[in-house]
Amino acid sequence: DAEITQSPRHKITETGRQVTLACHQTWNHNNMFWYRQDLGHGLRLIHYSYGVHDTNKGEVSDGYSVSRSNTEDLPLTLESAASSQTSVYFCASSGLAGNSYEQYFGPGTRLTVT
Amino acid sequence: LAKTTQPISMDSYEGQEVNITCSHNNIATNDYITWYQQFPSQGPRFIIQGYKTKVTNEVASLFIPADRKSSTLSLPRVSLSDTAVYYCLVGGDEKLTFGTGTRLTIIP
C-alpha cells in the first residue's frame, strides 16, 4: 500500500546544529508540504513543492530549507537549530484527483532543540 | 487566503449528531471548503470537501449555503472515537491554511 513516512520520529538536538528531517512518499504525488505544529496551535506551512526541482516558501520559512531532487522525497533542513524550532513537524503529499485537494499526512517528527 | 472562524471547543454525547459551523466571509470564487480531523500525536486526516450545496460521504456531510460564507460539518451518531480536533480550511489551490480548529469532546 502507498504511504508517507517520516524519520526520525523523535529527535533531540543542540542549538546551532544542522538537522535534516526526512519525508518519503510512495503515492507518486507531485505536491509535497512541510508543516510545524506547536502546542495549542494549528499547523503552519513551512515549505512546499509542486514537483521535482520546485520549492516554495510558506508562512514560516525562515531558518528552514528544502530541496526536491525526486518525486518521492522532500527533506527539511534546519540550517542552525534554535530553541524556537522545537515543535512537531508534519510532512504531507497530495495529487490532484478531480477537484480534490486531499493531503495525506505522515506520522510526524517531534523535534526538541536544547 | 480566506480566513476561517470556528468554535474553539464543543462537547456532545455519544449517539448524537454533531454540527460544527465554520465562517468564511471572504471566500473567493475558486475556493473549495475542506475539513480535516486530527487525533492527538497524529497528522490530520481528510474528512470531506465541497464547493456548494451538500456533499455526503461515508463519515460526514458538508452543508454549504448559496452565499458560501459559511459551512457546516455534520457528524452523524458520534462515538467516543470521534473525539478530535476538526479543522475547516478554505482555499483555491493545493496549499492549505490551518486555523486552530474545533476541539470536539464526546461524552459517554
Side-chain angles (χ1 to χ4, degrees), chain B residues 12-15 39 77-84 104-108:
Chain B
S12 181
Y13 288 98
E14 269 192 300
F39 297 113
R77 298 180 297 281
V78 293
S79 65
L80 295 177
S81 62
D82 292 315
T83 294
L104 175 65
T105 302
I106 305 303
I107 304 166

Side-chain angles (χ1 to χ4, degrees), chain A residues 26-66:
Chain A
T26 58
W27 295 97
N28 200 33
H29 284 161
N30 285 328
N31 310 322
M32 295 186 72
F33 309 83
W34 273 104
Y35 299 86
R36 61 175 289 175
Q37 184 171 36
D38 303 300
L39 192 63
H41 291 80
L43 283 79
R44 292 183 289 172
L45 184 63
I46 305 172
H47 281 286
Y48 58 101
S49 167
Y50 288 151
V52 177
H53 302 311
D54 175 74
T55 61
N56 306 280
K57 294 181 179 180
E59 61 177 304
V60 291
S61 61
D62 287 349
Y64 303 94
S65 64
V66 293

Side-chain angles (χ1 to χ4, degrees), chain B residues 19-59:
Chain B
N19 296 310
I20 306 175
T21 296
C22 180
S23 172
H24 28 79
N25 291 320
N26 296 324
I27 189 168
T29 303
N30 294 332
D31 286 346
Y32 279 78
I33 300 158
T34 311
W35 286 80
Y36 278 75
Q37 175 192 56
Q38 186 178 27
F39 297 113
S41 301
Q42 294 185 25
R45 185 181 70 169
F46 173 90
I47 302 175
I48 198 166
Q49 182 177 56
Y51 183 79
K52 61 181 179 180
T53 62
K54 177 183 175 182
V55 180
T56 298
N57 62 23
E58 63 276 10
V59 299

